[in-house]
Amino acid sequence: MDQQIRSNRLAFDVTHRLVLSIAIPMTFGFLTTPLLGLTDTAVVGQLGVAEALAGLAIGAMLFDLIFGSFNFLRASTTGLTAQAFGRHDGREQQAIFWRALLSALCCGLLVLALSPLLLKAGLAIMGPDAVVAEATSTYFSIRILSGPAALANYAILGFVLGRGQGGVGLLLQTIVNGINIVLSIALGLGLHWGVAGVAWGTMVGETVGALVGLAIVMRGFSPADRPPRAEILSRQAIGALFALNRDILIRSFVLLIAFALMTRIGTGFGAVTLAANAVLMNFFLLSGYFLDGLANAAEQLTGRAIGARYRPAFQRGVKLTIIWSFALAALASAFFLIAGPALIALLTTAPEVRAAAETFLPWAALTSLTGALAFLMDGVFIGATWSNEMRNRMLLSFAFYLAALAVFVPVFGNHGLWAAMNVFLLLRGVLLALRLPAKADQAFSAAQ
């Protein structure tokens, strides 16, 4: 009886409007990221020095690899916060935030301390010439100073998304990337600082974004819900956080290996095919930015429903986000099929690369549909903090991916490579979806 009263008190309705109120702002926020990359490239490209542009490309790739490895800070914070939000537990929300922020700052300081070794390893792997290596070192040595702030932004963004504050998330993303873009242009071109100006723009943007985000979050904290230090530093809570982060990290690394393996195999088909694949992967990544907004909505709504022990909201949240995800995925696929040749022409002027990219374009357009369920199910399982299930099914999907590569590539060449990638994306979503009913029964059994 007490459980039923509590569930009624925490019950909430999931509507299309609620889903889109989270998804749309974050979609726009995520789309500022590729805009930032284009701006940085354009600024350095205006210098007319190929070595500077190559140095920027290598440096940006290193940061994508380093900081991308810590994306678990954002994901785990969103899931845990959403569940505490669903329970109306303000004290635990504050505790989760401070644990996440402390973890982020510690990781950022560790990255900063290891930065000389990371730079040396990155240059050794990439093997650039002396001039390019100097440009990379300049960019890396400045931008790495933003490490603690950049990872703090992951924790802050995860917290506001866990509370369903998509508008705040958009504001913070706009501040970080907006300042970055403005300063990159002003310092890189206006003051002729080049690569160094772009790096300083990033460092300042991340730092200001972290400070503004911290101020916004703390302003919303109630003094009555302030947790004691012992509760924040609880060994059990920190252990659970690390276990969750570990599973998400393994999942992210396997995904990164899958994409790296596709690039590595693609090199065997020659420079033209490799370049065509690189062009087409931009379409897949762009689709991911659109679908990530709905994945964030799924994280918040399912996590909130788990915290509230209210299954109708969980089921409705999954249903509506699936509908919107596949609708957007279908639109994205149709858009790339129709506009793909024109976009390819914008991305490359080489006739042979254009022809090859257009040949494999249908496979790239299909990734929006085959990947839609995978992105969404990741959001559901992160929100519910079922990280071990997500990790295990990622590993199983990767095993099937390796088998598909072994079967398809020798027979169909690059067509087989793209087919294997689509199989991988499809299996990730299907395997998680098949596990979903049993996990939901388990999670809500105590609420019956």
Side-chain angles (χ1 to χ4, degrees), residues 283-284 287 333 362-372 418 421-422 425:
F283 297 169
F284 168 69
S287 296
S333 290
W363 290 111
L366 184 61
T367 59
S368 297
L369 285 169
T370 56
W418 277 100
M421 175 54 68
N422 278 280
L425 294 172

Side-chain angles (χ1 to χ4, degrees), residues 114-388:
L114 295 175
S115 60
L117 295 177
L118 294 173
L119 175 59
K120 186 176 180 179
L123 293 176
I125 293 171
M126 299 304 297
D129 62 35
V131 179
V132 174
E134 182 180 357
T136 299
S137 299
T138 298
Y139 178 82
F140 187 95
S141 299
I142 297 171
R143 185 176 170 183
I144 198 65
L145 298 175
S146 70
L151 298 187
N153 282 325
Y154 284 3
I156 294 169
L157 182 61
F159 181 78
V160 299
L161 288 180
R163 291 176 53 83
Q165 297 172 314
V168 176
L170 172 60
L171 173 64
L172 295 179
Q173 291 289 97
T174 303
I175 289 173
V176 171
N177 292 331
I179 291 176
N180 195 338
I181 289 172
V182 171
L183 287 184
S184 292
I185 295 173
L187 301 178
L189 290 180
L191 297 183
H192 307 288
W193 288 8
V195 172
V198 170
W200 280 114
T202 303
M203 198 280 289
V204 173
E206 293 282 6
T207 302
V208 173
L211 293 174
V212 172
L214 183 61
I216 291 174
V217 169
M218 291 186 65
R219 185 177 180 182
F221 283 165
S222 169
D225 291 330
R226 183 177 301 159
R229 183 180 304 176
E231 184 175 334
I232 295 173
L233 301 178
S234 164
R235 181 175 299 180
Q236 181 179 358
I238 291 177
L241 176 62
F242 271 90
L244 181 59
N245 287 339
R246 176 202 62 211
D247 292 338
I248 297 174
L249 177 62
I250 292 172
R251 169 258 181 198
S252 299
F253 266 127
V254 173
L255 190 60
L256 185 63
I257 292 170
F259 292 139
L261 190 57
M262 183 178 181
T263 301
R264 178 65 186 86
I265 294 174
T267 61
F269 300 130
V272 171
T273 300
L274 180 63
N277 286 348
V279 169
L280 293 175
M281 279 301 291
N282 285 291
F283 297 169
F284 168 69
L285 295 174
L286 189 58
S287 296
Y289 286 118
F290 280 106
L291 296 174
D292 269 347
L294 283 161
N296 288 152
E299 289 176 28
Q300 201 279 333
L301 295 172
T302 55
R304 180 181 174 185
I306 291 285
R309 313 292 290 178
Y310 188 58
R311 188 163 189 167
F314 181 90
Q315 295 173 324
R316 179 75 170 166
V318 172
K319 178 182 177 180
L320 294 190
T321 51
I322 285 178
I323 291 172
W324 280 104
S325 290
F326 276 101
L328 284 182
L331 286 175
S333 290
F335 172 76
F336 288 128
L337 283 173
I338 296 170
L343 294 174
I344 291 169
L346 287 175
L347 293 172
T348 178
T349 58
E352 64 276 15
V353 176
R354 287 182 178 180
E358 289 182 21
T359 298
F360 304 112
L361 174 61
W363 290 111
L366 184 61
T367 59
S368 297
L369 285 169
T370 56
L373 189 60
F375 286 124
L376 185 67
M377 285 295 107
D378 277 352
V380 171
F381 276 66
I382 287 172
T385 59
W386 299 331
S387 59
N388 59 334

Side-chain angles (χ1 to χ4, degrees), residues 81-93:
T81 302
Q83 292 185 21
F85 183 74
R87 296 192 301 270
H88 294 185
D89 189 344
R91 178 163 160 164
E92 179 60 14
Q93 289 178 55

